[in-house]
Amino acid sequence: MNLDAYWQMYDITLARIRDERPATFHSLKAILDRFQPPSSGDAFFPDGADDTLAHALRDAGWYLTFRGADYLYTAEHPTSHAKLQYVEGDVFDKTPAPICSRCGRPLAPGCCDTTDIILYTADQADAPATEEDER
């Protein structure tokens, strides 16, 4: 890929994030992986221009918290509660595992009869009460 094509794909990647507004790490990763495969993290985006992944995520509705530098931050989607950590280009999925509303453990196949289970993440303050909580 020549330099012009690289920067064109860079811009297209950030534009896709803004346009598609991914709400999960999986959907964000699908966009990022088309530009460049992961290196050490779950996904990768090099930044290196005036427009950055942080800008695109913010424009797509994610909340960002910087940790002392523009190459180290966490981001959370306000409705899905998907979370990521960005460290010098490496993007790590930090989304909490869904929690079973019946047993309170991370949801896994076969943990409980799943016909009426409500999924929530451990960090959701408004997680529904279970039938046992109501007794």
Coordinates of all heavy atoms in Angstrom, one line a residue, residues 72-116:
L72 N -3.3 7.1 25.7 CA -3.7 6.2 26.8 C -5.1 6.6 27.3 O -5.2 7.7 28.0 CB -2.7 6.2 27.9 CG -3.0 5.3 29.1 CD1 -3.1 3.8 28.7 CD2 -1.8 5.5 30.2
Y73 N -6.1 5.9 27.0 CA -7.4 6.3 27.4 C -8.4 5.0 27.5 O -8.0 4.0 27.0 CB -8.1 7.3 26.6 CG -8.2 7.0 25.1 CD1 -9.3 6.3 24.6 CD2 -7.3 7.4 24.2 CE1 -9.5 6.0 23.3 CE2 -7.4 7.1 22.8 CZ -8.5 6.4 22.4 OH -8.7 6.1 21.1
T74 N -9.5 5.2 28.2 CA -10.5 4.2 28.2 C -11.8 4.9 27.5 O -11.9 6.1 27.6 CB -10.9 3.7 29.6 OG1 -11.3 4.9 30.4 CG2 -9.7 3.0 30.2
A75 N -12.6 4.1 27.0 CA -13.8 4.5 26.4 C -15.0 3.6 26.7 O -14.8 2.4 26.8 CB -13.7 4.6 24.8
E76 N -16.2 4.2 26.9 CA -17.3 3.4 27.2 C -18.5 3.9 26.4 O -18.7 5.1 26.2 CB -17.7 3.5 28.7 CG -18.9 2.6 29.0 CD -19.3 2.6 30.5 OE1 -18.5 3.3 31.3 OE2 -20.3 2.0 30.9
H77 N -19.3 2.9 25.8 CA -20.5 3.3 25.1 C -21.6 3.5 26.1 O -21.8 2.7 27.0 CB -20.8 2.2 24.1 CG -21.9 2.6 23.1 ND1 -23.2 2.5 23.4 CD2 -21.7 3.3 21.9 CE1 -23.9 3.0 22.4 NE2 -23.0 3.5 21.5
P78 N -22.4 4.6 26.0 CA -23.3 4.9 27.0 C -24.5 4.0 27.1 O -25.1 3.9 28.2 CB -23.8 6.3 26.6 CG -23.5 6.4 25.1 CD -22.3 5.6 24.9
T79 N -24.9 3.3 26.0 CA -26.1 2.4 26.1 C -25.7 0.9 26.2 O -26.3 0.2 27.0 CB -27.0 2.6 25.0 OG1 -26.3 2.4 23.7 CG2 -27.6 4.0 25.0
S80 N -24.7 0.5 25.5 CA -24.3 -0.9 25.5 C -23.4 -1.3 26.7 O -23.2 -2.4 27.0 CB -23.7 -1.4 24.2 OG -22.4 -0.8 24.1
H81 N -22.7 -0.2 27.2 CA -21.7 -0.4 28.3 C -20.5 -1.1 27.8 O -19.7 -1.7 28.6 CB -22.3 -1.0 29.5 CG -23.4 -0.2 30.1 ND1 -23.2 1.0 30.8 CD2 -24.7 -0.4 30.1 CE1 -24.4 1.5 31.1 NE2 -25.3 0.7 30.7
A82 N -20.3 -1.2 26.5 CA -19.1 -1.8 25.9 C -17.9 -0.9 26.4 O -18.1 0.4 26.5 CB -19.1 -1.8 24.4
K83 N -16.8 -1.5 26.7 CA -15.6 -0.7 27.2 C -14.4 -1.1 26.4 O -14.3 -2.3 26.0 CB -15.4 -0.9 28.7 CG -16.5 -0.3 29.5 CD -16.1 -0.5 31.0 CE -17.2 0.1 31.8 NZ -17.0 0.0 33.3
L84 N -13.5 -0.2 26.2 CA -12.2 -0.5 25.6 C -11.1 0.3 26.3 O -11.4 1.3 27.0 CB -12.2 -0.2 24.1 CG -12.4 1.2 23.6 CD1 -11.1 2.0 23.6 CD2 -13.0 1.2 22.2
Q85 N -9.9 -0.1 26.2 CA -8.7 0.6 26.6 C -7.8 0.8 25.4 O -7.6 -0.2 24.7 CB -8.0 -0.1 27.7 CG -6.8 0.6 28.2 CD -6.1 -0.1 29.4 OE1 -6.0 -1.4 29.3 NE2 -5.6 0.6 30.3
Y86 N -7.3 2.0 25.2 CA -6.4 2.3 24.1 C -5.1 2.6 24.7 O -4.9 3.4 25.6 CB -7.0 3.5 23.3 CG -6.1 3.9 22.1 CD1 -6.4 3.4 20.9 CD2 -5.0 4.8 22.3 CE1 -5.6 3.7 19.8 CE2 -4.3 5.1 21.2 CZ -4.6 4.6 19.9 OH -3.8 4.9 18.9
V87 N -4.1 1.8 24.2 CA -2.7 2.0 24.7 C -1.8 2.1 23.5 O -1.5 1.0 22.9 CB -2.3 0.9 25.7 CG1 -0.8 1.1 26.2 CG2 -3.2 0.7 26.8
E88 N -1.3 3.3 23.1 CA -0.4 3.5 22.0 C -0.7 2.7 20.8 O 0.1 2.0 20.2 CB 1.0 3.1 22.5 CG 1.5 4.1 23.6 CD 2.9 3.8 24.1 OE1 3.5 2.7 23.8 OE2 3.5 4.7 24.6
G89 N -2.0 2.7 20.4 CA -2.4 2.0 19.2 C -3.1 0.7 19.4 O -3.9 0.3 18.6
D90 N -2.7 0.0 20.5 CA -3.4 -1.3 20.8 C -4.7 -1.0 21.5 O -4.8 -0.2 22.4 CB -2.5 -2.2 21.7 CG -1.3 -2.7 20.9 OD1 -1.5 -3.3 19.9 OD2 -0.2 -2.5 21.4
V91 N -5.8 -1.7 21.0 CA -7.1 -1.5 21.6 C -7.5 -2.8 22.2 O -7.5 -3.9 21.6 CB -8.1 -1.1 20.4 CG1 -9.5 -0.8 21.0 CG2 -7.6 0.1 19.6
F92 N -7.9 -2.7 23.5 CA -8.2 -3.9 24.3 C -9.7 -3.9 24.7 O -10.2 -2.8 25.1 CB -7.4 -4.0 25.6 CG -5.9 -4.1 25.3 CD1 -5.1 -2.9 25.2 CD2 -5.3 -5.3 25.1 CE1 -3.8 -3.0 25.0 CE2 -3.9 -5.4 24.9 CZ -3.2 -4.2 24.8
D93 N -10.4 -5.0 24.5 CA -11.8 -5.1 24.9 C -11.8 -5.3 26.4 O -11.3 -6.2 27.0 CB -12.4 -6.3 24.2 CG -13.9 -6.5 24.5 OD1 -14.5 -5.6 25.2 OD2 -14.5 -7.4 24.0
K94 N -12.5 -4.3 27.1 CA -12.7 -4.3 28.5 C -14.1 -4.4 28.9 O -14.5 -4.0 30.0 CB -12.0 -3.1 29.2 CG -10.5 -3.0 28.9 CD -9.8 -4.2 29.6 CE -8.3 -4.0 29.5 NZ -7.6 -5.2 30.1
T95 N -15.0 -4.9 28.0 CA -16.4 -5.0 28.2 C -16.6 -6.0 29.3 O -16.1 -7.1 29.2 CB -17.1 -5.4 26.9 OG1 -16.8 -4.4 25.9 CG2 -18.6 -5.4 27.1
P96 N -17.4 -5.7 30.3 CA -17.7 -6.6 31.4 C -18.5 -7.8 30.9 O -19.3 -7.6 30.0 CB -18.5 -5.9 32.4 CG -18.5 -4.5 32.0 CD -18.0 -4.4 30.6
A97 N -18.3 -9.0 31.4 CA -19.1 -10.1 31.0 C -20.5 -10.0 31.5 O -20.8 -9.4 32.6 CB -18.5 -11.4 31.7
P98 N -21.5 -10.5 30.7 CA -22.9 -10.4 31.2 C -23.0 -11.3 32.4 O -22.4 -12.3 32.6 CB -23.7 -11.0 30.0 CG -22.7 -11.1 28.9 CD -21.3 -11.1 29.4
I99 N -23.9 -10.8 33.3 CA -24.2 -11.5 34.6 C -25.6 -12.1 34.5 O -26.5 -11.5 34.1 CB -24.1 -10.5 35.7 CG1 -22.7 -9.8 35.8 CG2 -24.4 -11.2 37.1 CD1 -21.6 -10.8 36.0
C100 N -25.7 -13.3 35.0 CA -27.0 -14.0 35.1 C -27.8 -13.4 36.2 O -27.3 -13.2 37.3 CB -26.8 -15.5 35.3 SG -28.3 -16.4 35.6
S101 N -29.0 -13.0 35.9 CA -29.9 -12.3 36.9 C -30.4 -13.3 37.9 O -30.9 -12.9 39.0 CB -31.0 -11.5 36.2 OG -31.9 -12.5 35.6
R102 N -30.3 -14.6 37.6 CA -30.8 -15.6 38.6 C -29.7 -16.0 39.6 O -29.9 -16.0 40.8 CB -31.2 -16.8 37.8 CG -31.8 -17.9 38.8 CD -32.5 -19.0 38.1 NE -33.7 -18.5 37.5 CZ -34.1 -18.9 36.3 NH1 -33.4 -19.8 35.7 NH2 -35.1 -18.4 35.7
C103 N -28.5 -16.3 39.1 CA -27.5 -16.8 40.0 C -26.4 -15.8 40.4 O -25.6 -16.0 41.3 CB -26.8 -18.1 39.5 SG -25.8 -17.9 38.0
G104 N -26.3 -14.7 39.6 CA -25.4 -13.6 39.9 C -24.0 -13.9 39.4 O -23.1 -13.1 39.6
R105 N -23.8 -15.0 38.7 CA -22.4 -15.4 38.2 C -22.3 -14.9 36.7 O -23.4 -14.7 36.1 CB -22.2 -16.9 38.3 CG -22.1 -17.4 39.7 CD -21.7 -18.9 39.7 NE -22.6 -19.7 38.9 CZ -23.6 -20.5 39.4 NH1 -23.8 -20.5 40.7 NH2 -24.3 -21.2 38.6
P106 N -21.1 -14.8 36.2 CA -21.0 -14.5 34.8 C -21.8 -15.6 33.9 O -21.7 -16.8 34.2 CB -19.5 -14.7 34.5 CG -18.9 -14.3 35.8 CD -19.8 -14.9 36.8
L107 N -22.5 -15.1 33.0 CA -23.4 -15.9 32.2 C -22.6 -16.9 31.4 O -21.7 -16.5 30.6 CB -24.3 -15.1 31.3 CG -25.4 -15.8 30.6 CD1 -26.4 -16.3 31.7 CD2 -26.1 -14.9 29.7
A108 N -22.9 -18.1 31.5 CA -22.2 -19.2 30.7 C -23.3 -20.2 30.2 O -24.3 -20.4 31.0 CB -21.2 -19.9 31.5
P109 N -23.1 -20.8 29.1 CA -24.1 -21.8 28.7 C -24.3 -22.8 29.8 O -23.4 -23.4 30.3 CB -23.5 -22.4 27.4 CG -22.6 -21.4 26.9 CD -22.0 -20.7 28.1
G110 N -25.6 -23.0 30.1 CA -26.0 -24.1 31.1 C -25.9 -23.6 32.5 O -26.1 -24.4 33.4
C111 N -25.6 -22.3 32.8 CA -25.5 -21.9 34.2 C -26.8 -22.0 34.9 O -26.9 -22.4 36.1 CB -24.9 -20.6 34.4 SG -25.9 -19.2 34.0
C112 N -27.9 -21.7 34.2 CA -29.2 -21.8 34.8 C -30.2 -22.0 33.6 O -29.8 -21.9 32.5 CB -29.6 -20.4 35.4 SG -28.7 -20.0 36.9
D113 N -31.4 -22.3 33.9 CA -32.5 -22.4 32.9 C -32.6 -21.0 32.3 O -32.9 -20.0 33.0 CB -33.8 -22.8 33.5 CG -34.9 -22.8 32.5 OD1 -34.6 -22.7 31.3 OD2 -36.1 -22.8 32.9
T114 N -32.2 -20.8 31.1 CA -32.1 -19.4 30.5 C -33.3 -18.9 29.8 O -33.3 -17.9 29.1 CB -30.9 -19.4 29.5 OG1 -31.2 -20.4 28.5 CG2 -29.6 -19.7 30.2
T115 N -34.5 -19.5 30.1 CA -35.7 -19.1 29.3 C -36.2 -17.7 29.8 O -36.8 -17.0 29.0 CB -36.8 -20.1 29.5 OG1 -37.1 -20.3 30.9 CG2 -36.5 -21.4 28.8
D116 N -35.9 -17.3 31.0 CA -36.4 -16.1 31.5 C -35.4 -15.2 32.1 O -35.7 -14.3 32.9 CB -37.6 -16.3 32.5 CG -37.1 -17.0 33.7 OD1 -36.0 -17.6 33.7 OD2 -37.9 -17.0 34.7

